[in-house]
Amino acid sequence: MSTPGDRADLLVANLSELVTARGAAARGGADLPAEVLPDAAVAVKGGCIVAVGPEDEVRAAWSADEELDGGGGLLVPGFVDAHTHPVFFGTREAEFEQRVAGKTYVEIAQAGGGIRSSLAGVRQASKEELLARLLVRLDRFLELGTTTVECKTGYGLTLADELKCLEVIDAARRMHPVELVPTFLGAHDVPPEFQHDRAAYVDLVVNEMLPRVAESGLAEYCDVFTESHVFGLDESRRIMTAGAELGLGLRLHVDQLTALGGAQLAAELGAASADHLECVSPEGIEALARAGVVPVLCPLVPLFLRQKEEAPARAMIRAGLAPALATDFNPGSCYVQSMPEVLTWAALRYGLSAREALTAATLNAAASLGRAERLGTIEVGKQADLALLDVPNHHHLTYEFGRNPVQVVVKAGEVVYQRADEDLHE
Ligand code: NIG
Ligand code: FE
């Protein structure tokens, strides 16, 4: 309990609304919508939130060294992007043009494009070159209000190049305020040198890459692109089981382009997350619900790929699942870093309300990354990761798109981004 006159480091006040989910675990079903607090203020001390509530009450209990004037805007927890592939060298805009002209993602991949076309750039690049690119991308995440980002490798696909990418993520996390959660994705594709011996590549991942990655301590999670043209269910099970035995958490790309049954595999393995799920079956949804796996949905990806299937988000919520949202930022299937954009498309494509989308983009995403005790909500005791948006109410989280509404970002109590233009949006 605070006593009158307690001193905080930072007070965030003059807000139209504050929107936050509550708790330290993913919320699903009827508990998905975040709460809206009008005229609230937040006090921060030692990087953590020490008070949240009506501004007059917070002010009565806390004075502060510094005050951040919300300008009548909206305060939300910093966004948590639970699925990205940000360690790459070149972009793949020619593939985008091919899809616009009618080719599919798989057709392009099978013709030598796709993930394989990103390998040469990463393999040839030095650690310094990859780090420089990653840091620019992290700046962009931050200015879009994202304070925590899951980062996959997966464009090296040799032991040395995958370790190089993990080292780049490790270097970046020490230099940049955005919190990074590293995931080893050596099973992103079968590299061309193993094209005629995929079993040998799976052996390499299981017998050499995973043990070295685990020993390095540079990855928290292990992931597989489980898909009919990449790794099948048995190969994925073998890789994931090996990863789990080495102490890595599990995330899986599943049922994105075909209904392979990857959701059931994620459930069987007790994965932290099952990602994509555009083609998931009703049985797959039930399995995820029984196992308490967080579905990580990426609504910009089918849009970017011109894929007609949608992840059945509402059926998942009805089944009690607690969906998270992510960009899936990568050079091939989603060259977009904006969580504000993701929220709008979650509304338009999945029918999520603004309050549902907010929980999915913060608390549930943090839960999928094992960080819901510390991140994802604006509550006393949580780390002060905040984004101030220059919009008049929470409906604008989904209503307005195509413009970055983020004005100020706070990470662990520090103001780490402040937009130069302070004009308020009318
Ligand atoms: O999540 N699905 C696999 N990985 C990415 C695509 C990566 C790429 O095309 O480079 C995805 O969509
Ligand atoms: Fe992905």
Side-chain angles (χ1 to χ4, degrees), residues 83 85 152 253 276 328 330:
H83 182 142
H85 307 244
K152 300 177 198 296
H253 286 70
H276 288 290
D328 191 15
N330 74 78

Side-chain angles (χ1 to χ4, degrees), residues 197-318:
D197 195 359
R198 23 180 325 109
Y201 187 66
V202 176
D203 285 344
L204 181 71
V205 171
V206 168
N207 299 329
E208 290 183 42
M209 290 192 189
L210 273 169
R212 283 291 301 280
V213 164
E215 185 188 58
S216 75
L218 294 175
E220 281 185 43
Y221 290 93
C222 162
D223 194 344
V224 175
F225 189 7
T226 303
E227 189 56 65
S228 43
H229 76 288
V230 199
F231 297 96
L233 292 176
D234 290 340
E235 292 167 326
S236 302
R237 182 183 289 106
R238 190 174 157 221
I239 296 165
M240 287 277 112
T241 305
E245 280 168 6
L246 289 163
L248 296 171
L250 308 182
R251 331 182 66 76
L252 277 166
H253 286 70
V254 286
D255 298 332
Q256 178 185 4
L257 305 167
T258 53
L260 205 63
Q264 289 90 323
L265 177 64
E268 170 194 320
L269 294 166
S273 75
D275 302 34
H276 288 290
L277 298 165
E278 281 78 3
C279 300
V280 69
S281 64
E283 298 72 39
I285 293 176
E286 273 171 39
L288 292 175
R290 273 197 304 274
V293 178
V294 175
V296 175
L297 309 182
C298 310
L300 297 178
V301 175
L303 182 70
F304 207 82
L305 294 183
R306 307 187 78 201
Q307 178 187 354
K308 60 179 189 314
E309 294 89 357
E310 299 285 0
R314 187 55 61 191
M316 292 177 188
I317 296 165
R318 270 199 301 269

Side-chain angles (χ1 to χ4, degrees), residues 88-212:
F88 57 88
F89 197 71
T91 49
R92 308 212 309 257
E93 54 274 32
E95 293 182 7
F96 185 86
E97 295 281 10
Q98 284 179 291
R99 284 197 301 278
V100 168
K103 285 243 182 320
T104 68
Y105 179 80
V106 173
E107 283 166 354
I108 294 167
Q110 285 174 340
I115 293 160
R116 286 184 188 178
S117 62
S118 287
L119 298 184
V122 167
R123 289 177 178 183
Q124 280 157 24
S126 67
K127 242 194 279 186
E128 292 68 32
E129 288 170 320
L130 288 170
L131 178 61
R133 275 165 177 73
L134 179 57
L135 290 171
V136 170
R137 293 167 192 151
L138 296 181
D139 284 348
R140 203 164 295 149
F141 277 122
L142 198 64
E143 68 199 39
L144 288 159
T146 300
T147 47
T148 302
V149 176
E150 188 260 5
C151 292
K152 300 177 198 296
T153 66
Y155 294 117
L157 307 190
T158 67
L159 173 59
D161 290 305
E162 287 295 305
L163 284 174
K164 177 172 75 178
C165 292
L166 286 169
E167 284 163 13
V168 166
I169 296 169
D170 189 54
R173 80 199 295 194
R174 293 165 199 278
M175 297 168 68
H176 202 280
V178 172
E179 181 166 337
L180 306 183
V181 183
T183 296
F184 166 66
L185 180 52
H188 199 191
D189 202 347
V190 178
E193 59 274 20
F194 285 91
Q195 195 166 349
H196 303 294
D197 195 359
R198 23 180 325 109
Y201 187 66
V202 176
D203 285 344
L204 181 71
V205 171
V206 168
N207 299 329
E208 290 183 42
M209 290 192 189
L210 273 169
R212 283 291 301 280

